Each structure stands twice: as structure tokens, then as C-alpha cells.
Amino acid sequence: MRRAITALVGVALLLGAAVPAVAQEGSIGIVDTATGEWYLRNPSNGATTRFFFGNPGDLPMVGDWDCDGDETPGLYRQSDGFVYLRNANSQGVADIRFFFGNPGDIPLAGDFNGNNCDTVSIYRPSEGRVFIINALGANDGGLGSADFSYFFGNPGDKPYVGDFDNDGIDEIGLHREATGLVYFRFTHTQGVADSSFIFGDPGDKMVAAEWFGRGTPGPESVGLFRPSNCTSYLRHTNTQGVADETLAYGLPTGLPVAGDFGLLTGGGSPPPGCPAPPQPPGSFVPFTVAGTGNSVIDFQIPGDVPAVIDLTHNGTSNFIVWSLDGGFANIDLLVNEIGSYQGRRMVHGGWFSQPELVRHLEIDADGAWSITARPISAARSMTSSLTGSGDDILRYQGSASTLTSTHDGTSNFIIWGYESDGSITGLIVNEIGPYSGTDLIDSGTAILEIAADGNWTLHAP
């Protein structure tokens, strides 16, 4: 049996060489509402068929308009209620043209009487009313009145279409974007929902298709496209829960269509996706290196930005870590301890006062060790007071002129201050063993580097 359809925006130009593909249920497509460009994805091999169809702002849908088992593009122009349908997934003029409904209506494409042919009905959001018609218009004429209509949902709910009970007839579902509520009926009659659950976030665009067991008889279930991250989330059952499939495929101005597109030609480039979100200066993806015993490893922070590194060692003897430049010359002694160790130190990247850039680490150890690099933004922030233990890096966000600190360890207690660009503002504390005192802190200090073997407290009044 031919599976279902969705209702929501469209357009089509075929690009690239043909790539044969196997027809399957549960295909998803994205239509760029800003340009009228269609991207149809074959689920069997990921190939994209790409073309233009329609004008910017048209609402896309797909349906089996000629009853051949394949779903092809359709458009609804909300400004005048005009419908444009094409019988092939390729660029070209509409094969069927007519008008139906009022400006502002939303198209519903589906097989609403079980005859294996799709028609275009409408949902009027201002009334929360469905208008069903089981015929297609022709020759730029009006379609006439609906075969029947009924009220369902609240004004503002967004409709979608699917065969939710696998009876061969498509039904109407609604998505309340403000709450993520999804609900539908199993018959085209007025009444309360036969099923409802929560799925998705505000702004998501809902569709339905046979995602589970593609190509085998079964009900159609919900899927959604999230324009904010250009990702589709598909659920195999009409129940609340997380997505069973996640697909990064789309673009911010896209709307989804879904169904059985038949034998797609492929050969087109996929949609460009969402632009990467802006990253704060000095950000990068954390990474970890690990080993056992003495080692010299390559260690370069992406972009030569400042970073914090978390170091661990589970041996019983020396644990010494030097940072090295590109010529393997020493830059900084990061750790010099005996036995087990866990602490955080700072690597002086391109923003910092050290002219050398870290390219390697030299490790002297008798046990297993690991080193994880994170952006400087991963460091804890301190405004007025903070407690901790051992070596640490802090982002200082206060404005005090003095720093009161305590330490209960038996070895070095050292605090260095740095400006936000990495320039050293001064050595604030340099003591051995237990300490309690108040010291001056430079007004430009934005980063505190602490070396300690015990518990410490900081307070900047």
C-alpha cells in the first residue's frame, strides 16, 4: 500500500548525474521556502534528488496525484488559495492547477477515502476546522465545496497527515507548538483526540511516515524537523519518548515533506545545513590523551588558544610533565609531584605572554596517566569567594584590590595572576606549607593560577 504524506511548503531543478536508487517508504525531504528548492532524500543510500518547483513562500506538500504509488510535489499558495501539483520528482511546470480554500488556509495532502489516490484538503487555523475533499481540480478552475468538514483542535495548532491506525485512510494530526502536544483522531469526525502525547519543541515542524519497517505494512508515526539545528527526529511509534532516528539534513529556511517518493534519480548535493553557532574566543572541542610510563607526545591546542589541562597519574613515583615547543625545548614545568596526582594547569597558547607555542608534552611517570585539554572557559569562575584543593585555574570576575587566601597543605602554595589576554599581572602568593594572609591583587587580573598540595580558600572582598 502507498504510504502517507505531509502538509507544509515547497519548490524544484535537477542537478548532477543520475544515481539509481531503490524506492522505499519513509523518505524525508526538505523544501527551502526562501528559494523554492526541493531536496528529497532516499533512505536506502542517502542520495539527494534536488530541483526547483514553486515560488518563495509557497507551502509544500507531497502526494500521489496520479495514483501510480509515488508521491510527488505539490504547492499551496496561501495568498490566493491556488494549488500546483506535479506528477514527477523533477523540475518543470505543474501538471494540475486549481484553487481551493481561502487565503491563509494550510494544505492537507492525503488519501482520505482509501482509494489509493491523494487529494488536497485544507485546515483553517483561524477556526480550527478541517475541510476534506476527495477530488482534484483542473484547468485553473475552482474545486468547489468540500465533501465534508469538522472542527478539530484549537486555533493556531499546526496540522499534519498520516495513516495512524494502518487502515488505508489518512487521518489528521495536530501539533501544538507551544507545548509540544501531538494529537490525532482515527476518523474524519468531530470529537476529542483518540491519541495524544508530547513530542518536540516550539518551532518544530511535524510530519508523518512509515519510519519503522520501511516497505512493510504498518501505521505511520510522527517525525519532526527542527529548523534551528537543521535536524529531523523520527519516532517509530505514536507514543511519547525520544527519537528513534536522528538525521542532520536540512537548512534554517526549510520545511519538511515525507512519504514514498518512488525511484529518485539522486545526483544532487544535500541541503547546506545550519551554520555552526558562533563560538567564544578560545573555544575548541575538548580532547584527551592517555598512556602509561614515560612518553613524549604531540600536544597542540587547536587555534593556539589558551587552555586548561586536567592531569591525572596513578603511580607511586615521580610524575613530571614539561610543555615543549616545536623544537622540543622546555617551555614550562606543569607538574612535579610524587605518587598519585590530580590537578588542573594552564597551557600558554598564542594569547599568553609566553612567546613559545606548546607543540609537545614530555611525561615522566611510573603509572597510567591521562591529560584532557579544555577551553579556558571551562575553568571555574570566582567573583568574591571560592574554595578548592590542589592545582587549579580560575576565571576571576571580581574587582577587589586584595585577595585573602588560606592553605592547609605542606608544600608549595603559589598564586599567579594574569590579564584576560594572558599577560602576567604578578605573583600574588608564594609560600610553603600552611598559609593565611591577605595580598594585593592587580586590577587587571582575570585569571588565577593556583599551585597547592592541600585545601585552599580565596576571598576577594
Side-chain angles (χ1 to χ4, degrees), residues 13-311:
L13 165 97
L14 185 61
L15 302 179
V19 177
V22 177
Q24 286 194 357
E25 304 284 355
S27 301
I28 195 160
I30 298 295
V31 182
D32 186 351
T33 59
T35 65
E37 192 166 12
W38 291 62
Y39 302 84
L40 303 184
R41 184 182 183 275
N42 191 304
S44 65
N45 58 14
T48 292
T49 298
R50 181 179 173 187
F51 53 89
F52 285 96
F53 182 56
N55 293 340
D58 289 345
L59 291 183
M61 52 189 161
V62 294
D64 184 2
W65 320 120
D66 57 2
C67 312
D68 68 349
D70 296 338
E71 292 169 331
T72 52
L75 299 168
Y76 188 76
R77 193 157 292 163
Q78 280 190 307
S79 60
D80 56 14
F82 232 89
V83 178
Y84 302 86
L85 308 179
R86 184 160 169 75
N87 289 325
N89 284 308
S90 60
Q91 183 172 341
V93 299
D95 296 299
I96 304 169
R97 298 159 52 101
F98 59 93
F99 60 87
F100 181 54
N102 295 338
D105 289 343
I106 297 175
L108 305 171
D111 179 2
F112 301 117
N113 62 359
N115 69 347
N116 291 327
C117 299
D118 289 334
T119 57
V120 179
S121 296
I122 59 171
Y123 181 75
R124 189 159 292 160
S126 61
E127 302 177 11
R129 191 174 185 183
V130 178
F131 295 85
I132 298 293
I133 194 164
N134 291 316
L136 294 175
N139 304 319
D140 294 332
L143 189 55
S145 60
D147 291 322
F148 59 92
S149 66
Y150 56 94
F151 291 96
F152 185 45
N154 293 342
D157 290 347
K158 301 297 176 63
Y160 69 105
V161 175
D163 184 0
F164 306 122
D165 55 2
N166 196 34
D167 65 351
I169 297 175
D170 288 324
E171 297 94 22
I172 307 302
L174 291 172
H175 179 221
R176 190 161 296 163
E177 290 188 358
T179 62
L181 177 66
V182 178
Y183 59 108
F184 51 82
R185 283 183 60 74
F186 292 137
T187 59
H188 287 292
T189 57
Q190 187 168 326
V192 298
D194 292 305
S195 180
S196 64
F197 52 93
I198 300 295
F199 186 58
D201 295 335
D204 291 344
K205 310 303 178 185
M206 195 70 60
V207 292
E210 190 185 327
W211 314 118
F212 180 70
R214 291 177 173 91
T216 60
E220 294 177 346
S221 53
V222 293
L224 59 85
F225 174 69
R226 187 163 293 162
S228 62
N229 64 2
C230 301
T231 299
S232 294
Y233 301 86
L234 313 179
R235 184 138 175 84
H236 290 169
T237 58
N238 285 306
T239 58
Q240 186 165 330
V242 299
D244 296 295
E245 297 180 51
T246 301
L247 177 66
Y249 189 85
L251 70 169
T253 54
L255 286 178
V257 292
D260 179 4
F261 304 141
L263 291 172
L264 297 172
T265 58
S269 57
C274 285
Q279 298 295 316
S283 64
F284 61 90
V285 177
F287 63 92
T288 300
V289 292
T292 301
N294 295 354
S295 301
V296 176
I297 61 172
D298 294 334
F299 194 85
Q300 182 171 343
I301 304 299
D304 291 327
V305 296
V308 295
I309 60 173
D310 297 321
L311 306 100

